[in-house]
Amino acid sequence: MADLNPISAWRRFLALPNENRTKTVIVAFLVSAVCALLVSGATVVLRPIQAANRAAEEQARLEALVAGIPGMTELLEQSGGSLSTVVINLPEGAAAQDVTPETLATALDDAANWTTLSPGEDTAGLGRRPDYAQIYLLRGENGDISLALLPISGAGYQAPIDAILALRGDMNTIAGLAITNQAETPGLGGRIEEPAWLAQFPGTELADTTGDVRFAVAKGAAGNEYEVDGITGATNTGNAFTKIMRFWGGPEGYGPLIDAVQRGEF
């Protein structure tokens, strides 16, 4: 009668010569399986830590962005020293009624809360856009918005670019910009993170008096109030960033919110 004891079977297996093909295949499979389990386990364990680190990094960039805007420190002190967090319904340009910062991630797990963009709409190369976005607002003593921090994203030349755009209370004058994620070519497009390039944004206008979004990264030196200087050798990154800014400033992005604030309805 065959010995079905697993310990005995394992000993017989180990006793096989190392040149045995069956033993080689089984050992290779077991090693691969153990490695896969270790990698999967590490991913599960590290995911919350990575998410927390990303959130902390974004918060630090927010604080640095606000601190670098002239007059913002005083405004923060007057308003109690904090930004309010609001989830907005992008198509409606209004505060979301049934989604909060705590439930936003769950809401965005639902494909029904995303809008597929047509090629003509998708100037930022997103493919689809979430219907909800978390923004940060600073209000003055009279309750009017003094500063709005708006997360933006889109396709760069090499990889996605994520940023936070700060707009003054008129929702048209750029107060600052922080790049939160990019993988453009080092020394070329990657220079969009350099303080010298970002320093051009304050005071730049997003749209003209008709509401047309005209912001652009120039191919050379900026020629008007809607442009910032281009980066030598990084025309593709500059063009991509122009498209990102125009998308989020337009009707498929924050356009409805901008209109609502300018009308005094937000």
Side-chain angles (χ1 to χ4, degrees), residues 174 201 204 206 213-217 226 228 241-242 245-246:
I174 297 174
F201 281 78
T204 303
L206 187 63
V213 181
R214 294 183 55 190
F215 174 89
V217 177
Y226 309 107
V228 296
F241 199 77
T242 294
M245 290 284 286
R246 290 187 175 182

Side-chain angles (χ1 to χ4, degrees), residues 55-260:
E57 181 180 352
E58 181 166 316
Q59 183 62 33
R61 289 178 185 268
L62 282 172
E63 293 173 358
L65 176 59
V66 173
I69 299 171
M72 285 301 110
T73 301
E74 292 78 7
L75 282 172
L76 277 171
E77 291 174 352
Q78 293 171 10
S79 64
S82 63
L83 294 162
S84 61
T85 303
V86 182
V87 175
I88 63 165
N89 182 308
L90 283 168
E92 296 178 1
Q97 298 300 310
D98 52 358
V99 180
T100 66
E102 293 73 25
T103 63
L104 178 60
T106 301
L108 294 184
D109 284 337
D110 186 348
N113 290 325
W114 291 75
T115 295
T116 300
L117 303 166
S118 69
E121 296 169 333
D122 191 19
T123 54
L126 293 170
R128 59 178 191 157
R129 182 221 63 210
D131 292 338
Y132 299 98
Q134 180 171 295
I135 67 170
Y136 309 88
L137 300 175
L138 177 65
R139 295 184 182 272
E141 292 181 340
N142 60 358
D144 292 339
I145 293 174
S146 302
L147 184 73
L149 303 183
L150 312 176
I152 62 175
S153 61
Y157 175 55
Q158 297 278 21
I161 295 174
D162 300 321
I164 297 172
L165 172 66
L167 293 180
R168 293 277 185 177
D170 63 3
M171 297 300 284
N172 191 53
T173 305
I174 297 174
L177 181 82
I179 303 295
T180 57
N181 179 63
Q182 63 90 15
E184 299 298 278
T185 307
L188 295 173
R191 292 176 60 199
I192 60 175
E193 279 195 285
E194 291 183 356
W197 190 72
L198 296 173
Q200 303 176 80
F201 281 78
T204 303
E205 300 293 314
L206 187 63
D208 60 23
T209 55
T210 69
D212 290 335
V213 181
R214 294 183 55 190
F215 174 89
V217 177
K219 289 182 171 56
N224 55 54
E225 65 268 35
Y226 309 107
E227 294 182 348
V228 296
D229 295 348
I231 297 173
T232 303
T235 300
N236 289 329
T237 297
N239 290 341
F241 199 77
T242 294
K243 292 176 180 177
I244 292 171
M245 290 284 286
R246 290 187 175 182
F247 173 85
W248 286 103
E252 302 304 324
Y254 292 110
L257 172 67
I258 291 172
D259 291 343

Side-chain angles (χ1 to χ4, degrees), residues 1 4 22 43 45 50 54 56 73 75 110 145 160 207 252 255:
M1 182 176 179
L4 299 180
T22 299
T43 300
V45 171
Q50 292 170 337
R54 284 196 297 270
T73 301
L75 282 172
D110 186 348
I145 293 174
E252 302 304 324

